[in-house]
Amino acid sequence: RRNRLDLQNSQARVVDAFRRVSVAANALQADFDLVGRANCGTGPDQARPFNFASEATSYRVGFNLDTPLNRRAERNIYRASLIEYQRARRAYVNLSDVVESEVRRDLRTLVLTRASFEISRQQLLAAARQLESTRITLLGPRDRRSANDTTTLNLLQALSSLLNARNALAANYINFEQQRVQLLLDLEALQLDPRGFPTDDS
């Protein structure tokens, strides 16, 4: 959650929508404005323009009161802001659930791929032992073998099984690395340097 910028942007949109709700709610309240006005005039003597005379000066003080009797436009804006806030909040929750689901799926796939890699490793060891056993039989004394002996065929099958086991092991290793990088991407923890290599691969 700390690294996902899209999740942080969605959370910021929720906060902005909540602020707009507060502003719209404030517009529904009454307005009270205190108004003051002063008009400073000079005396009739034109030779001194900055000679302000008290008899030519007037003052006004008043207030404007706008009561919330008819606030239909403001009420509509408030309701629209509430709807927008709920929409942004649901979008954030949905995105958060999607991110968590992706990370959990990546972790499950990593566990499964690691188990598949261990199985492939055991299969490779079994295929290597099978090949070694077949070679020992083929290189053994010929007088112990029968006329319809299939040792050569067994050797070819053992070589084929060994090759398939090696390919499966390499495929599982590549799949594990791909899933590991996908997990780092979903966590947005994969930072690259200018050459395109990970800066912190821990």
Side-chain angles (χ1 to χ4, degrees), residues 105-117 176 179:
R105 185 185 67 237
D106 293 338
L107 289 174
R108 284 194 299 266
T109 306
L110 274 177
V111 171
L112 180 62
T113 309
R114 178 173 285 180
S116 298
F117 179 79
F176 178 80
Q179 291 300 325

Side-chain angles (χ1 to χ4, degrees), residues 4 6 24 31 37 70 78 98-99 107 189-190 195:
R4 288 293 296 250
D6 53 350
D31 294 333
R37 181 180 296 176
N70 187 6
Y78 176 69
V98 167
V99 169
L107 289 174
L190 184 63
R195 298 177 302 161

Side-chain angles (χ1 to χ4, degrees), residues 27-90:
L28 287 172
Q29 298 177 359
D31 294 333
F32 181 80
D33 297 328
L34 186 62
V35 179
R37 181 180 296 176
N39 186 9
C40 298
T42 58
D45 188 6
Q46 298 296 330
R48 292 185 294 174
F50 295 105
N51 185 15
F52 296 104
S54 60
E55 61 272 5
T57 302
S58 62
Y59 302 96
R60 275 186 199 172
V61 177
F63 64 89
N64 292 330
L65 179 62
D66 188 9
T67 58
L69 297 177
N70 187 6
R71 288 279 200 265
R72 180 174 295 177
E74 289 82 359
R75 187 179 65 234
N76 292 339
I77 293 173
Y78 176 69
R79 288 178 178 172
S81 63
L82 281 177
I83 293 171
E84 185 62 30
Y85 168 70
Q86 293 296 332
R87 187 178 298 161
R89 192 173 65 86
R90 288 190 185 110

Side-chain angles (χ1 to χ4, degrees), residues 21 30 48 51 55 94 135 137 140 145 181 195 201:
V21 169
R48 292 185 294 174
N51 185 15
E55 61 272 5
N94 183 30
R135 285 183 64 221
T137 304
R145 288 191 268 174
V181 171
R195 298 177 302 161
D201 202 18

Side-chain angles (χ1 to χ4, degrees), residues 6-188:
D6 53 350
L7 198 60
Q8 293 180 6
N9 289 336
S10 181
Q11 186 178 11
R13 282 192 287 271
V14 174
V15 175
D16 291 341
F18 183 75
R19 287 175 182 165
R20 285 192 288 271
V21 169
S22 301
V23 172
N26 190 27
L28 287 172
Q29 298 177 359
D31 294 333
F32 181 80
D33 297 328
L34 186 62
V35 179
R37 181 180 296 176
N39 186 9
C40 298
T42 58
D45 188 6
Q46 298 296 330
R48 292 185 294 174
F50 295 105
N51 185 15
F52 296 104
S54 60
E55 61 272 5
T57 302
S58 62
Y59 302 96
R60 275 186 199 172
V61 177
F63 64 89
N64 292 330
L65 179 62
D66 188 9
T67 58
L69 297 177
N70 187 6
R71 288 279 200 265
R72 180 174 295 177
E74 289 82 359
R75 187 179 65 234
N76 292 339
I77 293 173
Y78 176 69
R79 288 178 178 172
S81 63
L82 281 177
I83 293 171
E84 185 62 30
Y85 168 70
Q86 293 296 332
R87 187 178 298 161
R89 192 173 65 86
R90 288 190 185 110
Y92 170 72
V93 171
N94 183 30
L95 182 61
S96 177
D97 291 343
V98 167
V99 169
E100 290 181 7
S101 175
E102 288 176 353
V103 171
R104 287 179 181 151
R105 185 185 67 237
D106 293 338
L107 289 174
R108 284 194 299 266
T109 306
L110 274 177
V111 171
L112 180 62
T113 309
R114 178 173 285 180
S116 298
F117 179 79
E118 185 62 28
I119 292 172
S120 299
R121 193 173 69 84
Q122 295 296 330
Q123 287 176 348
L124 180 61
L125 291 174
R129 289 181 184 137
Q130 175 82 26
L131 176 64
E132 189 63 26
S133 173
T134 308
R135 285 183 64 221
I136 291 173
T137 304
L138 183 64
L139 296 175
R142 293 179 180 266
D143 54 353
R144 293 187 182 176
R145 288 191 268 174
S146 61
N148 57 357
D149 192 19
T150 59
T151 307
T152 306
L153 181 61
N154 291 339
L155 179 64
L156 292 175
Q157 289 177 350
L159 284 171
S160 177
S161 298
L162 182 64
L163 179 63
N164 292 334
R166 284 179 178 174
N167 291 337
L169 183 68
N172 281 324
Y173 177 73
I174 292 171
N175 191 14
F176 178 80
E177 286 298 317
Q178 287 178 344
Q179 291 300 325
R180 190 176 66 84
V181 171
Q182 183 63 44
L183 174 64
L184 292 176
L185 284 174
D186 289 337
L187 293 174
E188 286 200 12

